[in-house]
Amino acid sequence: WLLGHMGMVRSTEEGLQNVDNLVGQYHHCCVWWIAPWQPVLRLFHPDTLRPVLLASAFVAPKDKLFYGFLKPWLGDGLLLSHGRKWARHRRLLTPAFHPDTLKSYVGIFNRSTEIMHAKWWREAAGAPVVLDVFEPLALLTLDTLQKCIFSHDSHCQERPSKYIAAILELSALVVRRQQRLLHHPDWLYRLSADGRRFARACAAVHGFTAAVVQHRRRELERLGHQAWLEGHQGRSMDFIDLLLLAKDEDGRDLSDEDISAEADTFMFEGHDTTASGLAWLLYNLACHPHHQERCRQEVRELLKDREVEEIEWEDLSHLPFTTMCIKESLRLHPPVTAVSRRCTKDITLHDSHVIPSGTTCLLSIYGTHHNPSIWPEPQVFDPLRFSPENTQGQSPLAFVPFSAGPRNCIGRSFAMAEMKVVAVTVGCFVGVFPLSRALEGPRVLLKVLLCRRLSGSGAPGAAASAAGAGPQLQELHPQISQVIAVASSVAFSVESGSSAAPPPRPRGHRSGDPRAGSFSR
């Protein structure tokens, strides 16, 4: 009775199965108790999500219970701020995510993906090799974020970076703290080994961000506004530049502390979620080679007759099936599985029931995406769910991987653009297929075929090692001359040989409970 339903919380596949069971039994919502005095209303249907998600950010702000551990790291960035400060920052940051700004980032997405692909080739070295795809994808997203936010190239995909290592350590420590009740009190956590590591990593991240912001501020003050703008002609501005120039309706700009908090928030929110989404996309395409081949054909048709096969901003709207695959993967495996809100006023639901003021609501993105009353056969990967004819009349809140309402993810267009570029770039060169058997007990492995379009001799035995994995290798690309088979372990945990098992979870994917790392925007 003391811990309520906490015993049912699992940061594992079992935890998501519990969500599936709750959705199947209650359909719209249910109440959980995390202590005798602390109820949490769990919502997992568009009709029950709507009044809370679409309420004013003043009526349904973020719940501090689930986000407080991030405060020492992220400060008062968009994720954690509230009230007038949040509203002001949201207005000032919106231009930084305008399509005209995002357009300039596509080249960065392309180059960072090419670095990852070249690294895979070097690691393969002409022979089969086992790779964990989540780690290189996480480094890829961190690489692009550093370049887009700071115009800084740490070469983190190729060599260690103290700043990147600190971010990865902070992410892991926050998740671990959520899972350890004794580490919840701040004073006790500060005395622990994890707490000391967290403080050191925070200092490293804050030191890097503050140094960049202060240097740019000094340059702006030294040159003056007009000369500084003229110095940027011919090249795009990064996130820090845009925030330094931002002014509200009263002519006030953001402080250095504000800009640092927003940059740290963007680095945190933008790397793990996108990497997780990409890892799941590769997994789902591996399990469905016919969808994978259709994506490849779509990309091949788009890029044909080009001297440089590089995706451009205008191309992103001409990838209908690839986009459907990305959306279906985000439906089936949403990187952020839940968001929380705390009602400051009574909120009336669709059936006239009232959520009392002070109630904590856990809005289950995963539960909504797996609700059989909204999505028939929700465990099936079917990209055609998102075809124009199948989405007509569907509630916009049936699919909310980036949340919805006034506190939705401000970086959703950035994330989708990056996922499309990576999917297209990797899709031109890589075929992924599940092995017939797991090699290491209850693990699902992918076989990745790295395909080069350069002249020269092929790797001996590569074609033989890929036999039976999927389509004929020459069908992957008309100019393939070298293929290396790579077994890519994504650390999935599912009983070997069970085709009916629920989709497994790659390492680094956020859990089915917000206490295990599911953070909203």
Side-chain angles (χ1 to χ4, degrees):
W1 65 271
L2 181 61
L3 296 179
H5 292 96
M6 286 296 292
M8 297 177 65
V9 174
R10 295 284 187 276
S11 302
T12 62
E13 197 64 36
E14 184 183 356
L16 294 184
Q17 290 174 347
N18 287 338
V19 177
D20 288 329
N21 294 336
L22 287 173
V23 173
Q25 182 175 356
Y26 296 104
H27 306 297
H28 284 76
C29 61
C30 67
V31 175
W32 265 34
W33 293 85
I34 58 176
W37 58 88
Q38 183 65 60
V40 173
L41 182 61
R42 302 182 63 146
L43 310 175
F44 31 73
H45 190 282
D47 290 344
T48 50
L49 294 180
R50 183 176 292 105
V52 180
L53 272 182
L54 302 187
S56 161
F58 296 92
V59 174
K62 296 275 178 65
D63 180 66
K64 295 180 180 179
L65 174 66
F66 294 126
Y67 298 94
F69 299 153
L70 290 165
K71 190 76 170 182
W73 173 14
L74 303 182
D76 273 334
L78 274 184
L79 179 65
L80 302 181
S81 60
H82 58 276
R84 296 184 182 278
K85 182 170 188 177
W86 171 85
R88 175 175 180 263
H89 282 215
R90 179 83 184 202
R91 290 195 302 272
L92 291 175
L93 264 66
T94 296
F97 296 94
H98 189 276
D100 289 342
T101 302
L102 300 181
K103 182 178 181 179
S104 65
Y105 295 152
V106 172
I108 293 174
F109 298 158
N110 276 294
R111 290 189 293 274
S112 294
T113 307
E114 290 166 3
I115 291 170
M116 182 187 72
H117 188 248
K119 184 178 178 181
W120 283 4
W121 270 97
R122 290 195 301 270
E123 292 185 13
V129 64
V130 174
L131 297 175
D132 178 344
V133 299
F134 181 78
E135 289 187 4
L137 288 171
L139 289 175
L140 162 68
T141 55
L142 286 164
D143 187 26
T144 60
L145 285 168
Q146 264 201 300
K147 293 169 182 174
C148 295
I149 296 173
F150 304 108
S151 294
H152 178 75
D153 189 355
S154 66
H155 303 281
C156 64
Q157 295 194 72
E158 301 165 290
R159 61 173 182 254
S161 162
K162 291 183 179 178
Y163 173 73
I164 297 301
I167 287 180
L168 293 172
E169 183 173 34
L170 286 171
S171 299
L173 288 171
V174 167
V175 172
R176 190 155 66 196
R177 185 182 180 187
Q178 288 181 322
Q179 297 168 351
R180 298 180 176 180
L181 291 178
L182 289 178
H183 282 177
H184 285 198
D186 289 339
W187 68 271
L188 198 55
Y189 187 65
R190 285 194 293 267
L191 297 175
S192 69
D194 276 7
R196 292 191 294 271
R197 289 175 58 198
F198 185 84
R200 288 193 297 269
C202 271
V205 169
H206 292 163
F208 175 88
T209 307
V212 174
V213 173
Q214 290 167 12
H215 172 74
R216 298 281 184 87
R217 178 79 73 182
R218 288 194 297 269
E219 286 295 297
L220 177 60
E221 292 173 350
R222 182 178 66 84
L223 295 173
H225 189 276
Q226 187 61 36
W228 196 78
L229 284 175
E230 291 174 355
H232 281 72
Q233 288 183 355
R235 65 183 181 90
S236 59
M237 291 192 183
D238 61 26
F239 189 68
I240 298 296
D241 293 332
L242 294 168
L243 296 195
L244 282 169
L245 295 174
K247 292 184 182 294
D248 62 18
E249 55 274 13
D250 297 323
R252 296 178 301 157
D253 57 11
L254 292 167
S255 68
D256 288 0
E257 183 181 357
D258 290 336
I259 295 174
S260 295
E262 299 300 353
D264 290 339
T265 297
F266 194 12
M267 286 294 297
F268 164 70
E269 290 203 271
H271 84 273
D272 187 61
T273 50
T274 306
S276 177
L278 286 166
W280 275 115
L281 177 64
L282 289 181
Y283 170 78
N284 287 315
L285 292 178
C287 293
H288 302 85
H290 55 296
H291 293 324
Q292 181 183 165
E293 182 59 24
R294 183 171 172 181
C295 288
R296 187 173 292 110
Q297 293 288 352
E298 181 176 72
V299 173
R300 187 183 304 167
E301 180 66 24
L302 180 68
L303 300 181
K304 71 178 181 180
D305 302 326
R306 295 191 189 181
E307 292 184 6
V308 179
E309 293 189 347
E310 185 172 287
I311 198 74
E312 299 173 356
W313 174 259
E314 291 74 17
D315 297 326
L316 300 182
S317 60
H318 299 290
L319 295 164
F321 189 73
T322 301
T323 302
M324 284 190 278
C325 287
I326 292 173
K327 288 184 175 180
E328 174 65 351
S329 191
L330 290 173
R331 181 200 67 81
L332 196 56
H333 306 108
V336 177
T337 58
V339 298
S340 68
R341 301 287 186 266
R342 187 170 186 84
C343 303
T344 60
K345 295 182 179 179
D346 291 354
I347 294 180
T348 303
L349 296 178
H350 68 290
D351 57 1
S352 299
H353 284 89
V354 176
I355 303 176
S357 174
T359 301
T360 296
C361 296
L362 188 64
L363 295 83
S364 178
I365 295 173
Y366 177 90
T368 304
H369 288 185
H370 286 244
N371 194 324
S373 65
I374 306 299
W375 303 98
E377 297 184 286
Q379 300 291 354
V380 175
F381 180 78
D382 179 12
L384 294 179
R385 296 180 198 270
F386 290 92
S387 65
E389 57 271 21
N390 287 332
T391 54
Q392 287 183 357
Q394 185 184 70
S395 168
L397 298 182
F399 177 66
V400 285
F402 301 104
S403 188
R407 295 206 66 145
N408 68 347
C409 175
I410 195 172
R412 59 196 180 281
S413 296
F414 180 98
M416 282 297 294
E418 183 175 14
M419 289 189 71
K420 288 183 183 181
V421 171
V422 176
V424 168
T425 306
V426 172
C428 285
F429 298 93
V430 178
V432 288
F433 308 97
L435 296 177
S436 57
R437 285 186 188 179
L439 298 181
E440 300 178 13
R443 292 163 66 91
V444 176
L445 301 181
L446 302 183
K447 180 176 289 183
V448 180
L449 305 179
L450 298 183
C451 313
R452 273 188 180 166
R453 294 166 288 108
L454 305 174
S455 60
S457 59
S465 65
Q472 293 296 317
L473 299 182
Q474 289 298 327
E475 294 179 1
L476 296 177
H477 196 285
Q479 297 176 308
I480 290 174
S481 62
Q482 188 174 11
V483 178
I484 299 176
V486 180
S488 177
S489 167
V490 198
F492 297 132
S493 56
V494 59
E495 288 190 2
S496 178
S498 173
S499 60
R505 173 181 302 282
R507 184 159 65 86
H509 189 295
R510 299 180 187 272
S511 156
D513 184 271
R515 286 178 171 268
S518 297
F519 301 106
S520 65
R521 280 79 179 170

